Amino acid sequence: AAELQGRVAGVNYLKKLQEYYFLKDLDITDQDVLIECAKDINIDVKEFMEDLHSTHSIKALQCDIKVTKEMHVTEIPSVVFFNENIEEEGLRVSGFESYQTYVKILELMTNTKLEKRELPDLAEFIKFQPFVTIKELCMIYEQSTQCMELELKKLILRRKVKKIVQKDQIYYQYVV
């Protein structure tokens, strides 16, 4: 329903929904919680509420469920790659894989050599990603846990990032 207001709205809504679930421990099946998420990301709440139960949203969800079943997606995370040729089957990658694995898949699918972009500053990345674990940061930045902890401590001291403990998990979040 949020994505019907644009791709960016859909992505922002999903991030906020994850924050509500993982950090605030809220029931994301509760319609009031869904509406609160919509308010938090400043989308048209009236339109969102109408779209929430629209046939278009229901069909989109059913389509996603169908693809999930067809691709035998049974674990999280799973990524399904499709190319422009609808005749070709998608490729499912289940579980955690290395960055290089995804690069290879994309290169094979596009028949082009991909070039790695420079990673953003750590604070900028955390600003973009609403909450992130140290394990994820270590994998993305290809650093040890000790190095990453040191960098995060610096950002915490500069009050750019805060540490959140929830459900026996530690997350880092950008301070607005």
Side-chain angles (χ1 to χ4, degrees), residues 12-22 28 34 37:
N12 288 340
Y13 186 80
L14 183 58
K15 288 178 180 180
K16 185 57 68 172
L17 202 60
Q18 290 172 332
E19 180 181 325
Y20 271 42
Y21 180 75
F22 290 111
I28 60 171
L34 298 177
C37 280

Side-chain angles (χ1 to χ4, degrees), residues 30-83:
D30 182 331
Q31 185 167 319
D32 292 336
V33 173
L34 298 177
I35 293 168
E36 196 60 39
C37 280
K39 288 178 185 174
D40 275 1
I41 64 161
N42 296 317
I43 60 174
D44 184 328
V45 176
K46 185 178 181 216
E47 185 178 335
F48 172 80
M49 288 171 56
E50 290 171 7
D51 289 339
L52 198 57
H53 302 289
S54 73
T55 55
H56 187 72
S57 292
I58 293 168
K59 284 182 181 178
L61 177 62
Q62 289 171 338
C63 182
D64 287 347
I65 292 169
K66 181 181 176 190
V67 169
T68 301
K69 287 181 181 177
E70 286 176 357
M71 294 303 299
H72 306 288
V73 174
T74 58
E75 63 183 287
I76 296 174
S78 290
V79 178
V80 179
F81 293 91
F82 293 102
N83 69 20

Side-chain angles (χ1 to χ4, degrees), residues 107-121:
E107 286 178 343
L108 289 170
M109 292 180 82
T110 61
N111 289 322
T112 57
K113 177 77 175 145
L114 300 178
E115 290 191 32
K116 186 176 182 177
R117 283 190 196 167
E118 189 75 24
L119 286 169
D121 172 72

Side-chain angles (χ1 to χ4, degrees), residues 82-89:
F82 293 102
N83 69 20
E84 293 173 347
N85 182 356
I86 60 171
E87 299 298 318
E88 290 185 30
E89 281 191 29

Side-chain angles (χ1 to χ4, degrees), residues 149-160:
E149 283 175 345
L150 181 62
E151 292 303 314
L152 289 165
K153 283 178 184 176
K154 290 177 191 175
L155 291 174
I156 291 169
L157 288 172
R158 291 179 17 217
R159 292 190 168 93
K160 290 193 170 220

